Amino acid sequence: EARMVNDRAELAQAEAALRDRINLGLMREGVSMLDPERTYIDAGVEVGPDVVLLPGTMLQGRTVIGAGSTIGPDTRIVDSVVGERVTIANSVVRESEIGDECSVGPFAHLRAGTQLLRGAKIGDFVETKNAVLGEGAKANHLAYLGDVTIGAGANIGAGTITANYDGKHKHVTVI
């Protein structure tokens, strides 16, 4: 259906109508939304069955959410792939890959190039960039992990920073 959009108020109304249509379609396919009016999903985002989207969730770009995952509250995911049975709370995820059965947040920031393998955990106030966490590896709180590969089962302690810039080049840290 066509709708005239002549100002920002009418644009907001058109966006709300499209959001309602997307959310209704996903709920009919088995996605649960506690507050559809506060759930924002771009056209083209793929959401698997039995996913729970909590209030304040924003799924944008080329994002895929696997079956049985719980996203939110207040979580933004952009251009990322999220596996099955993943929990992400109060966090920002951009251009990342999260494997099955991972946990992220609260208050985590996964930046471009982050990969979490099965069962990895990123906790509160952890930021990652170009980081690979092996199966079952965890960084539970208060860490910056940039340009790093962390092996399976590793436990990164609070306050850890992978500083790998020598003033001219970045280097990969391997743990």
Side-chain angles (χ1 to χ4, degrees):
E1 113 186 37
R3 178 181 285 224
M4 296 290 291
V5 175
N6 296 307
D7 58 30
R8 293 188 185 201
E10 290 175 353
L11 178 60
Q13 291 171 345
E15 288 174 339
L18 180 57
R19 183 172 58 250
D20 290 344
R21 187 179 307 155
I22 290 168
N23 289 357
L24 182 60
L26 287 171
M27 288 187 286
R28 287 189 171 144
E29 292 174 3
V31 174
S32 296
M33 294 182 198
L34 270 60
D35 188 352
E37 291 182 11
R38 291 192 53 225
T39 303
Y40 302 85
I41 303 169
D42 283 353
V45 167
E46 297 176 35
V47 183
D50 298 321
V51 168
V52 176
L53 301 176
L54 299 173
T57 295
M58 297 179 74
L59 305 177
Q60 299 175 296
R62 298 174 313 275
T63 293
V64 177
I65 307 294
S69 294
T70 300
I71 310 297
D74 302 315
T75 295
R76 184 177 185 194
I77 303 174
V78 181
D79 296 328
S80 297
V81 176
V82 175
E84 296 184 353
R85 298 171 306 283
V86 171
T87 301
I88 304 175
N90 302 85
S91 296
V92 175
V93 178
R94 293 179 182 274
E95 300 174 36
S96 297
E97 295 179 27
I98 300 171
D100 295 344
E101 300 170 0
C102 289
S103 174
V104 176
F107 312 113
H109 186 185
L110 277 58
R111 293 168 49 196
T114 296
Q115 291 182 292
L116 306 182
L117 302 184
R118 178 183 292 276
K121 181 176 189 231
I122 295 292
D124 52 324
F125 304 105
V126 175
E127 181 176 359
T128 62
K129 181 190 72 70
N130 288 329
V132 177
L133 272 72
E135 285 194 25
K138 56 189 170 187
N140 284 321
H141 45 265
L142 303 166
Y144 173 77
L145 305 173
D147 299 296
V148 64
T149 299
I150 298 170
N155 182 20
I156 303 301
T160 298
I161 297 172
T162 55
N164 49 17
Y165 183 62
D166 64 11
K168 292 182 182 179
H169 302 96
K170 289 191 178 189
H171 304 279
V172 175
T173 300
V174 178
I175 298 173

